[in-house]
Amino acid sequence: MANSKRGTALTILAILFTLAAISDILKPLHLEGPTTGLVFLGRRLSGTPNAVLGPLLGVFLLIYAAGIWNMRRYALSLAYVYAIYVTLNLVLFVTRNPPPASQGEMIFGIVYSILALLGTWGSVILLRRRQAELT
């Protein structure tokens, strides 16, 4: 059974990456506003760039989630790519945008950043620990 090899944490991460993929694929359908659109290299996208890059990132995440779910060797490479992308994206977002307007926004940003880094780098660590089991 694949789940016994994958474990609970990787199963949860595969599901979360699938949900993130669905969200990114649907980004072009969201109403345009200041908080909608894919954030790419620290900038919130809109229009055509959002319509192209949102679904592309979504497909990447679906492939990554499938790799985790099926314990495929390529998932580890994608884990590194995605973790580096998320880290770079967070750093660039903070440096390229004005500070949050309220304390609530700042707390949300901190919690979001911590969870994003834990999830992405956590999947790298978990996949590395199970590297021998990847096919």
Side-chain angles (χ1 to χ4, degrees):
M1 182 162 130
N3 190 23
S4 62
K5 276 181 31 178
R6 188 175 50 248
T8 304
L10 282 173
T11 299
I12 291 169
L13 286 167
I15 292 168
L16 291 174
F17 289 137
T18 300
L19 293 174
I22 292 167
S23 173
D24 287 341
I25 289 169
L26 297 176
K27 290 251 188 236
L29 302 178
H30 293 180
L31 298 174
E32 293 297 325
T35 60
T36 60
L38 179 73
V39 175
F40 183 74
L41 297 179
R43 298 200 191 279
R44 189 168 308 279
L45 303 177
S46 63
T48 303
N50 185 51
V52 172
L53 291 177
L56 280 177
L57 181 59
V59 169
F60 173 89
L61 285 172
L62 284 175
I63 294 167
Y64 176 33
I68 293 172
W69 191 265
N70 295 306
M71 295 295 287
R72 299 291 184 225
R73 193 169 310 281
Y74 72 83
L76 182 56
S77 298
L78 296 184
Y80 277 108
V81 169
Y82 191 60
I84 291 167
Y85 163 77
V86 167
T87 303
L88 181 63
N89 210 23
L90 288 169
V91 169
L92 291 174
F93 186 82
V94 169
T95 59
R96 291 182 169 177
N97 293 284
S102 70
Q103 186 176 6
E105 287 179 2
M106 184 182 349
I107 291 170
F108 172 80
I110 291 168
V111 171
Y112 176 86
S113 297
I114 290 169
L115 292 176
L117 293 170
L118 284 174
T120 57
W121 286 104
S123 66
V124 169
I125 292 166
L126 291 172
L127 288 168
R128 288 262 319 167
R129 287 183 180 171
R130 292 192 168 87
Q131 190 170 5
E133 301 168 41
L134 301 175
T135 59

